[in-house]
Amino acid sequence: MPASTLSIPVTGTVRHIDGETQLVLSERIAGHDTFLSGTLEIASKSVPVRIITLDNVTVLRPLNPADAAGIQPAWTAKLGLPHGARPHAIPADLTTAAEQQHRALDALDEAELRYALTFLEEATTTAIRQSRIDAIVGALPRSAAQLTNPR
């Protein structure tokens, strides 16, 4: 396998959708940002794949469709992620804004946090970033401390 920071065991099934072979993981890759590509070590070969992680599923698409030939309908493999783990880190400016407004960032579930952070990270200017922080924080529920001790 090419040098990678992280290699995780995965299982899945082969699906043929619109004439394309897709390898659907049994469990969604959680706790990491979506990776653009990786390498699947399966059946004694390395298969470069594009990795698509949605709300409840991770799908691998072989970069070369011929590489999918011979993969069993139900399979077990190792997925190499070239950049390793990328946990969702909440940036300091968002944390500070939430604390100042007595809002609970921990009320977001994993998918909501991922969407909020992506929305924030795609801001192209400081003004847009601040507006997005305001929108995210404004949508959060009040923190428990604020509910029990309002000012």
Side-chain angles (χ1 to χ4, degrees), residues 37-57:
S37 62
T39 304
L40 190 67
E41 286 292 316
I42 187 167
S44 301
K45 62 182 175 180
S46 295
V47 178
V49 293
R50 182 157 322 279
I51 304 168
I52 302 161
T53 300
L54 304 170
D55 284 344
N56 58 356
V57 67

Side-chain angles (χ1 to χ4, degrees), residues 7-48:
S7 179
I8 57 175
V10 292
T11 60
T13 57
V14 174
R15 302 253 174 98
H16 300 283
I17 301 171
D18 296 330
E20 182 178 278
T21 299
Q22 297 182 10
L23 308 171
V24 180
L25 297 187
S26 300
E27 292 186 30
R28 180 186 171 281
I29 295 177
H32 312 291
D33 289 337
T34 301
F35 293 87
L36 297 179
S37 62
T39 304
L40 190 67
E41 286 292 316
I42 187 167
S44 301
K45 62 182 175 180
S46 295
V47 178

Side-chain angles (χ1 to χ4, degrees), residues 15-122:
R15 302 253 174 98
H16 300 283
I17 301 171
D18 296 330
E20 182 178 278
T21 299
Q22 297 182 10
L23 308 171
V24 180
L25 297 187
S26 300
E27 292 186 30
R28 180 186 171 281
I29 295 177
H32 312 291
D33 289 337
T34 301
F35 293 87
L36 297 179
S37 62
T39 304
L40 190 67
E41 286 292 316
I42 187 167
S44 301
K45 62 182 175 180
S46 295
V47 178
V49 293
R50 182 157 322 279
I51 304 168
I52 302 161
T53 300
L54 304 170
D55 284 344
N56 58 356
V57 67
T58 298
V59 176
L60 309 178
R61 291 185 180 157
L63 296 180
N64 178 1
D67 288 342
I71 296 177
Q72 298 298 312
W75 50 267
T76 299
K78 291 227 181 244
L79 180 60
L81 303 174
H83 303 291
R86 295 185 196 170
H88 297 292
I90 300 173
D93 54 352
L94 179 59
T95 300
T96 300
E99 288 172 354
Q100 289 173 346
Q101 295 297 315
H102 305 286
R103 301 296 180 141
L105 274 168
D106 59 355
L108 298 175
D109 67 23
E110 183 183 338
E112 291 168 332
L113 179 60
R114 192 172 55 252
Y115 290 136
L117 295 179
T118 299
F119 177 64
L120 184 56
E121 290 166 3
E122 291 175 346

